[in-house]
């Protein structure tokens, strides 16, 4: 258990124990009234005039709500359409076996008084509702029931045949709603979609519907096995154990408490990888499970191919053509998240999925088509800055949106009663506030460092102390990494100061004096300084790098001070090259520009000391290795070009070097400004993918993952700062994020406080 856990309150520790217990428990879905009704309709193999599963009929009779409906979460205002579907299915099952006459009538009364919801677009819509509900209404009428609906709606049922016929050749998709095809000839084709466990698409309702027309011993055994586990009712899907456990891993990561459960998470991921390598039906034939499994496995360094997601592109195209939605919004969001993990030069499936999910989700947001407020906020955040999501910001939002009664919707609504728990929310809240208190104390120490080095006296430079600390802390937040965070933040601050000296035209003598002092790296006397400003800056740099070097010696047993000084010298010389180009009116080549500009973006001097202060012993030759050099190359290109995209207009006016300018010059009047921007974005994306590939690579890598993550954090910081505007120089949204991550504790709800 991490040492920091000892400082969390006893209540939080008790909650953590409850979370750990979740990994050892069986995770079942809520019982589905809709699916239970279909299973109840299956006749006995030996005596067709009696039900094969009478316990399901008993469940239906015992679980009708007071208003006459069936379904999850009675009274939920957005699930009326879902209740219509569940209720008509239960009414049909009872009517078929001539039981529960009063329950049937109460159910019909509910349908009559809530029929408006069938066509209400402001209701959450179960998958395939446009096929399933009309088909069940038709079945009810054929059973002699007087369904109290508008005759126009009843007449529209007849028109569903044309929709079903569009499924010809798409039986894999039709199988998800096959109970809506009745006695049509499609069943023979649908039967080919049977899984090894005997089910049709792991759906008890579809499997039961198939048994109504074609007895299959394996399908019968499947339903028996489900009822053995669930007693008298069945869920909307089975099995879902793997998906549920992947959801647990995802929740721990999103809530920011994964460091406490690494062993449990790794066990789940190893099992998921085994399923993936075996091409298990449980993971590959479930859209959401496949997308979630892909994302988590790839993120944790497992080798998984995005080609396995290619079939989902065709499924979406068919959904668009047929006008029937076969994926829940939650599934589409999960696919979008998976598509953001493109890391190879050409990942066509992910690129196509990313394009259509982005378009679809954006359209749903703009049309206010996402009725679930929590899901709407999740979609909005996922689309906002997918490459610049910093962990602490995500954790705070995830805690805020966390619901114990979280549900999703397939053919009917469902939830995991023992997956989304009070224990997990309680522990996440306490841990966030504990980390935040620790970070506040660190920030006060950084403020003392700042004033102690007289940096507050440099009035002509940007004041970025709080920004610098926030940027690294928002992604590298483990309380044990105090020294790593301090080194990163201090180098951001010092790098910004010297950048401002170069950009704001400090006397050339001052700038050359700084470079000369760094080259010599001695503790100078007062006569060595050209100005008071140089004395303040160099004294702070000298003292800080020596202190960082001493901390590295304590952790690593060796000195890297020469490497730290060399990194700073490269940055200063790059700044001088940029100044010389501007003063002399020289336009460098793109290669010349990038060689200098990728140093002046300040990434090298921040990353280098940080990776040596993470508490992990590093190889002696790590800095000189090709892997380190390549990681640094890709992250500096990403950061530099993102910055150039936001500053190029100002720098074009001032005739300062910028990659846009270099591309325009190289194009010799042929390339437009818009084309240059497009080219830059392509360069950024190429380097971002190569960087991600190296970060996630395990085979042949000599740099520990936790160190490579600092490079990835730097890329995320650059996207966070420069994806839409220059948030570093003129912060707007970041101010609110700083307050939320560092200053404003989360308020514990009264029922768990």
């Amino acid at each position: 258990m991490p040492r920091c856990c000892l400082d969390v309150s006893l209540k939080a520790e008790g909650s953590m124990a409850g979370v750990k217990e979740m990994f050892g428990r069986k995770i079942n879905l809520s019982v589905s009234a809709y699916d239970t009704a279909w299973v109840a309709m299956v006749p006995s193999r030996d005596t067709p005039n009696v039900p094969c599963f009478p316990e399901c009929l008993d469940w239906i009779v015992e679980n009708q709500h007071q208003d006459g409906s069936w379904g999850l979460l009675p009274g939920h205002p957005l699930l009326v359409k879902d209740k219509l579907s569940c209720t008509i299915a239960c009414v049909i099952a009872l009517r078929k076996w001539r039981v529960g006459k009063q329950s049937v009538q109460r159910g019909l009364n509910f349908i009559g008084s809530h029929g408006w919801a069938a066509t209400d677009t402001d209701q959450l819509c179960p998958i395939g509702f446009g096929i399933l509900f009309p088909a069940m209404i038709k079945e009810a009428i054929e059973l002699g029931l007087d369904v109290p609906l508008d005759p126009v709606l009843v007449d529209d049922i007849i028109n569903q045949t044309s929709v079903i016929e569009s499924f010809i050749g798409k039986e894999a998709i039709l199988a998800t709603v096959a109970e809506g095809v009745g006695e049509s000839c499609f069943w023979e084709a649908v039967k080919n979609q049977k899984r090894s466990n005997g089910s049709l698409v792991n759906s008890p309702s579809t499997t039961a519907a198939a048994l109504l027309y074609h007895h299959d011993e394996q399908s019968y055994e499947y339903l028996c096995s489900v009822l053995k586990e669930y007693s008298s009712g069945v869920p909307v899907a089975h099995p879902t154990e793997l998906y549920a456990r992947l959801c647990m891993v995802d929740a721990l990561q999103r809530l920011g408490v994964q460091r406490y459960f690494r062993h449990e998470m790794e066990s789940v991921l190893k099992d998921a990888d085994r399923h993936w390598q075996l091409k298990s039906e449980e993971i590959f034939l479930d859209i959401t499970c496949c997308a979630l499994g892909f994302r988590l496995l790839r993120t944790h360094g497992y080798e998984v191919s995005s080609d396995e997601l290619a079939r989902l592109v065709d499924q979406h195209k068919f959904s668009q053509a047929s006008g029937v939605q076969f994926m829940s919004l939650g599934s589409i969001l999960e696919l979008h998240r998976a598509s953001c993990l493109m890391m190879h030069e050409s990942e066509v499936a992910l690129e196509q999925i990313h394009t259509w999910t982005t378009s679809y989700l954006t359209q749903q947001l703009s049309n206010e088509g996402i009725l679930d407020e929590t899901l709407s906020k999740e979609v909005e955040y996922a689309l906002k800055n997918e490459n610049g999501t910093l962990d602490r910001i995500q954790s705070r939002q995830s805690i805020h949106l966390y619901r114990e009664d979280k549900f999703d919707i397939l053919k009917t609504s469902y939830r995991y009663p023992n997956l989304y728990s009070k224990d997990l929310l309680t522990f996440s809240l306490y841990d966030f506030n504990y980390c935040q208190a620790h970070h506040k104390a660190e920030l006060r120490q950084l403020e003392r460092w700042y004033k102690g080095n007289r940096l507050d006296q440099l009035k002509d430079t940007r004041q970025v102390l709080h920004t610098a600390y926030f940027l690294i802390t928002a992604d590298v937040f483990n309380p044990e990494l105090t020294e790593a965070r301090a080194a990163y933040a201090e180098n951001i601050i010092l790098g910004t100061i010297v950048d401002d000296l170069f950009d704001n035209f400090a006397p050339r003598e001052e700038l050359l004096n700084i470079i000369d002092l760094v080259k010599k790296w001695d503790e100078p006397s007062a006569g060595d300084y050209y100005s008071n400003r140089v004395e303040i800056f160099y004294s702070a740099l000298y003292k800080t790098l020596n202190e960082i070097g001493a901390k590295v010696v304590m952790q690593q047993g060796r000195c890297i001070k020469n490497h730290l000084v060399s990194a700073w010298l490269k940055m200063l010389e790059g700044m001088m090259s940029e100044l010389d180009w501007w003063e002399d009116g020289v336009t460098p080549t793109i290669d010349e520009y990038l060689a200098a500009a990728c140093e002046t973006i300040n990434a090298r001097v921040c990353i280098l000391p940080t990776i040596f202060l993470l508490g992990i012993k590093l190889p002696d030759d790590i800095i000189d290795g090709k892997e380190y050099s390549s990681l640094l190359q890709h992250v500096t290109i990403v950061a530099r070009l993102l910055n150039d995209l936001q500053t190029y207009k100002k720098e074009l006016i001032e005739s300062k070097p910028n990659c846009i300018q270099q591309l325009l010059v190289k194009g010799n009047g042929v390339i437009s400004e818009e084309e240059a921007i497009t080219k830059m974005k392509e360069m950024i994306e190429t380097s971002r993918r190569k960087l991600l590939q190296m970060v996630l690579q395990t085979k042949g890598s000599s740099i520990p993952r936790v160190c490579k993550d600092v490079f990835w954090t730097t890329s995320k910081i650059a996207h966070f700062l420069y994806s839409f505007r220059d948030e570093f120089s003129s912060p707007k949204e970041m101010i609110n994020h700083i307050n939320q991550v560092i200053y404003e504790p989360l308020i514990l709800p009264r029922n768990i406080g």
Side-chain angles (χ1 to χ4, degrees), residues 72-73 83 89 102 138 218 227 237 255 286 335 377 444 510 512 535 563 611 652 705 723:
L72 188 71
L73 300 178
K83 290 191 186 71
Q102 289 185 343
K138 183 177 180 181
Q218 195 180 13
L227 280 166
L255 294 170
D286 181 306
L335 279 170
K377 289 179 179 178
R444 288 192 292 270
E510 282 191 9
L512 290 173
E535 179 189 3
H563 291 290
I611 65 173
L652 283 177
R705 171 65 186 270
S723 285

Side-chain angles (χ1 to χ4, degrees), residues 114-152:
H114 294 81
W116 53 267
T119 55
D120 189 344
T121 56
D122 290 331
Q123 283 286 311
L124 292 174
C125 187
I127 288 177
F129 181 85
I131 291 176
L132 298 174
F133 184 67
M136 289 188 291
I137 292 295
K138 183 177 180 181
E139 175 70 13
I141 292 172
E142 291 176 352
L143 285 172
L145 290 170
D146 183 12
V147 182
L149 289 175
D150 188 320
V152 176

Side-chain angles (χ1 to χ4, degrees), residues 247-499:
C247 285
M248 288 177 63
V249 171
D250 189 44
L252 293 172
Q253 291 187 170
R254 291 185 170 279
L255 294 170
V257 294
Q258 66 270 31
R259 67 191 187 280
Y260 296 97
F261 306 98
R262 297 197 187 281
H263 174 74
E264 291 84 356
M265 290 171 59
E266 189 60 32
S267 177
V268 172
L269 292 172
K270 284 182 179 179
D271 185 48
D273 182 56
R274 179 179 62 81
H275 279 271
W276 189 281
Q277 301 306 328
L278 294 174
K279 297 189 181 295
S280 163
E281 293 177 341
E282 188 171 352
I283 193 168
F284 278 113
L285 297 184
D286 181 306
I287 294 171
T288 317
C289 188
C290 186
L292 177 59
F294 170 82
R295 175 167 62 84
L296 293 177
L297 288 171
R298 176 168 279 195
T299 299
H300 285 265
Y302 290 86
E303 293 185 8
V304 287
S305 171
S306 60
D307 292 343
E308 303 296 347
L309 301 176
R311 59 190 171 81
L312 303 179
V313 178
D314 293 333
Q315 184 158 338
H316 169 70
K317 290 178 180 177
F318 177 71
S319 295
Q320 285 187 315
S322 66
V324 180
Q325 184 63 46
F326 293 98
M327 295 186 200
S328 70
L329 197 62
S331 296
I332 295 174
L333 175 59
E334 195 51 67
L335 279 170
H336 176 78
R337 289 168 174 161
S339 72
C340 294
L341 283 177
M342 291 175 281
M343 67 180 195
H344 298 294
E345 185 175 349
S346 178
E347 290 199 286
V348 177
L350 289 187
E351 290 167 359
Q352 291 179 334
I353 290 172
H354 188 266
T355 297
W356 72 255
T357 55
T358 301
S359 175
Y360 179 83
L361 293 172
T362 301
Q363 184 182 36
Q364 291 295 306
L365 276 181
S366 62
N367 294 340
E368 298 183 351
I370 305 177
L371 303 177
D372 185 316
E373 184 178 352
T374 298
L375 184 57
S376 178
K377 289 179 179 178
E378 287 183 9
V379 170
E380 181 180 4
Y381 188 71
L383 294 175
K384 189 172 185 179
N385 193 353
E386 58 196 32
N387 293 321
T389 301
L390 302 179
D391 285 356
R392 260 314 67 169
I393 298 174
Q394 175 181 276
S395 295
R396 182 167 184 127
Q397 188 220 34
S398 296
I399 293 171
H400 177 69
L401 296 178
Y402 188 90
R403 300 181 312 189
E404 289 179 63
D405 62 348
K406 175 181 172 63
F407 71 90
D408 206 340
I409 191 163
L410 294 172
K411 285 187 288 188
T412 185
S413 54
Y414 69 93
R415 61 184 300 267
Y416 290 96
N418 58 349
L419 178 57
Y420 298 96
S421 71
K422 185 183 295 185
D423 281 332
L424 183 51
L425 177 59
T426 301
F427 183 70
S428 301
L429 280 163
Y430 275 107
D431 184 65
F432 186 94
N433 288 345
Y434 164 72
C435 290
Q436 188 181 72
H438 186 92
H439 297 152
K440 283 182 187 177
E442 282 185 3
L443 182 54
R444 288 192 292 270
Q445 179 61 37
L446 187 65
E447 289 169 344
R448 289 191 287 270
W449 165 86
Y450 192 78
K451 291 181 179 180
N453 284 288
R454 298 178 293 160
L455 296 176
D456 56 325
Q457 297 178 22
L458 300 177
K459 303 301 183 183
D460 295 331
T461 60
R462 286 168 288 179
Q463 304 301 305
V464 298
L465 185 150
H466 295 86
T467 295
Y469 181 73
F470 159 77
L471 289 174
I472 184 60
T473 302
D475 212 60
V476 181
F477 58 87
N478 190 331
E480 297 180 343
L481 300 179
T482 296
E483 292 182 343
R485 278 189 294 275
Y488 199 102
E490 289 165 359
N491 277 282
I492 289 179
I493 294 167
L494 293 169
T496 302
I497 289 172
V498 76
D499 182 58

Side-chain angles (χ1 to χ4, degrees), residues 42-48 50-53 211 215-217 220-221 224:
V42 177
S44 170
R45 294 177 294 173
D46 303 320
T47 312
V50 297
C52 186
F53 304 105
L211 284 173
H215 179 74
D216 181 275
E217 187 64 23
Y220 167 77
E221 292 295 337
C224 289

Side-chain angles (χ1 to χ4, degrees), residues 234-245:
V234 298
V236 69
H238 184 82
T240 59
E241 183 78 8
L242 176 60
Y243 173 66
R245 297 201 177 281

